[in-house]
Amino acid sequence: MSGMSRRGFLQAGVVAGAGMAVTSQLPSADAVPDTEAGHPTSSGALTVSRLTVGDMHDPLGIQAARPRLSWQLRAGGTNRSQSAYEIRVASDPRRLSRADLWRSGRIRSAQARNVTYGGQPLSSRTRAYWQVRSWDEHGRVSPWSDVARWEIGLLQPGDWRAQWIGNAEWDALSAPVPPATVDIPAQQARYVRLNVTRLGLPLKEGAWPDPVSRLQLAEVQVLDGDVNVAQGGAVTVSEVYLAPGTCEPEYLTD
């Protein structure tokens, strides 16, 4: 061979062959990966997640003493299913290994929704912690799920302990209040106008800078002897906010 010794030819052939071997091991640009991100296609044990109680996540104050428990399953591959499950419930997450409220044992069932709690009776304010594990179609058991919880509300009327929200001034108003009497000389007027601004309580309203004295509740009587001539008549209430250079009347008819 011209321009190349036999040794040089053999070395070049080895290098070229190695290059061909390496190239043949690299995947082509069109190759489809065996797994999709976050969703392995190879089969494995089930994973239990998204535990709910009455379709709620970690609910508080539920009114069911025997709530409905549900969970979701995740697995790779196709035609996967649950063949059995086990639930454990405890009064403290540290007691789950020796569940003191309920341990269902292995239940042969594909049910993963609305499984009724079947453990110790739960009273008001009881907090329960729980986990689930499942067996797949081949009998392989999953790890225990993350710990979830629920809390029972007040189930009986006697469980409620509360007081009415009140105000000392409101309580004072519950006592009989003597009427404010205004004597009007005999006349033929059809209307009586009373300025009751000072009888009201100062209130702070909205963006208005100053407290407004407003009568919260009143009963008006106009007596002619023993006859209340105002009974059944219309009462018109007007409010006027006075500000420098302005007058803004507002009316309310009862």
Side-chain angles (χ1 to χ4, degrees):
M1 295 183 179
S2 60
M4 181 179 295
S5 66
R6 181 175 180 179
R7 176 176 295 179
F9 173 78
L10 292 175
Q11 291 176 344
V14 170
V15 172
M20 293 174 64
V22 170
T23 302
S24 65
Q25 294 176 359
L26 296 176
S28 67
D30 297 331
V32 179
D34 292 336
T35 61
E36 186 178 354
H39 301 282
T41 57
S42 60
S43 298
L46 302 175
T47 301
V48 182
S49 62
R50 300 183 65 83
L51 277 62
T52 58
V53 179
D55 294 326
M56 295 178 288
H57 176 71
D58 291 348
L60 299 176
I62 65 173
Q63 298 300 305
R66 291 167 54 85
R68 296 172 290 108
L69 312 178
S70 304
W71 57 92
Q72 293 185 10
L73 302 170
R74 296 181 59 189
T78 58
N79 298 324
R80 307 302 309 280
S81 64
Q82 171 186 282
S83 61
Y85 67 83
E86 182 177 11
I87 301 173
R88 62 184 183 183
V89 186
S91 58
D92 188 287
R94 294 168 294 185
R95 297 180 180 176
L96 280 167
S97 60
R98 297 184 178 181
D100 58 336
L101 293 180
W102 185 37
R103 186 151 193 161
S104 69
R106 182 174 177 176
I107 305 297
R108 295 186 179 275
S109 172
Q111 183 178 2
R113 278 191 55 79
N114 297 331
V115 176
T116 302
Y117 169 79
Q120 298 292 328
L122 302 178
S123 58
S124 297
R125 301 184 181 89
T126 298
R127 179 168 289 189
Y129 299 85
W130 66 297
Q131 289 178 299
V132 183
R133 63 178 177 179
S134 296
W135 283 259
D136 67 8
E137 68 279 8
H138 299 297
R140 292 174 297 188
V141 64
S142 74
W144 285 104
S145 68
D146 291 339
V147 178
R149 68 180 185 272
W150 79 82
E151 183 177 301
I152 301 294
L154 303 179
L155 302 179
Q156 304 298 329
D159 296 332
W160 291 85
R161 294 185 179 89
Q163 295 179 346
W164 289 104
I165 299 174
N167 183 297
E169 295 181 359
W170 299 347
D171 296 338
L173 292 177
S174 62
V177 178
T181 304
V182 178
D183 293 328
I184 303 174
Q187 54 185 293
Q188 299 297 321
R190 296 179 56 194
Y191 303 97
V192 176
R193 181 176 181 179
L194 301 176
N195 185 344
V196 296
T197 300
R198 296 302 178 185
L199 299 179
L201 298 176
L203 301 175
K204 185 69 172 64
E205 295 186 343
W208 189 252
D210 300 318
V212 178
S213 293
R214 173 174 292 175
L215 193 63
Q216 300 297 304
L217 181 64
E219 179 182 357
V220 178
Q221 293 183 343
V222 180
L223 299 177
D224 183 5
D226 294 332
V227 179
N228 181 12
V229 296
Q231 185 172 1
V235 177
T236 300
V237 181
S238 64
E239 295 180 344
V240 178
Y241 296 131
L242 295 178
T246 64
C247 178
E248 299 180 2
E250 296 183 1
Y251 299 98
L252 170 66
T253 300
D254 183 5

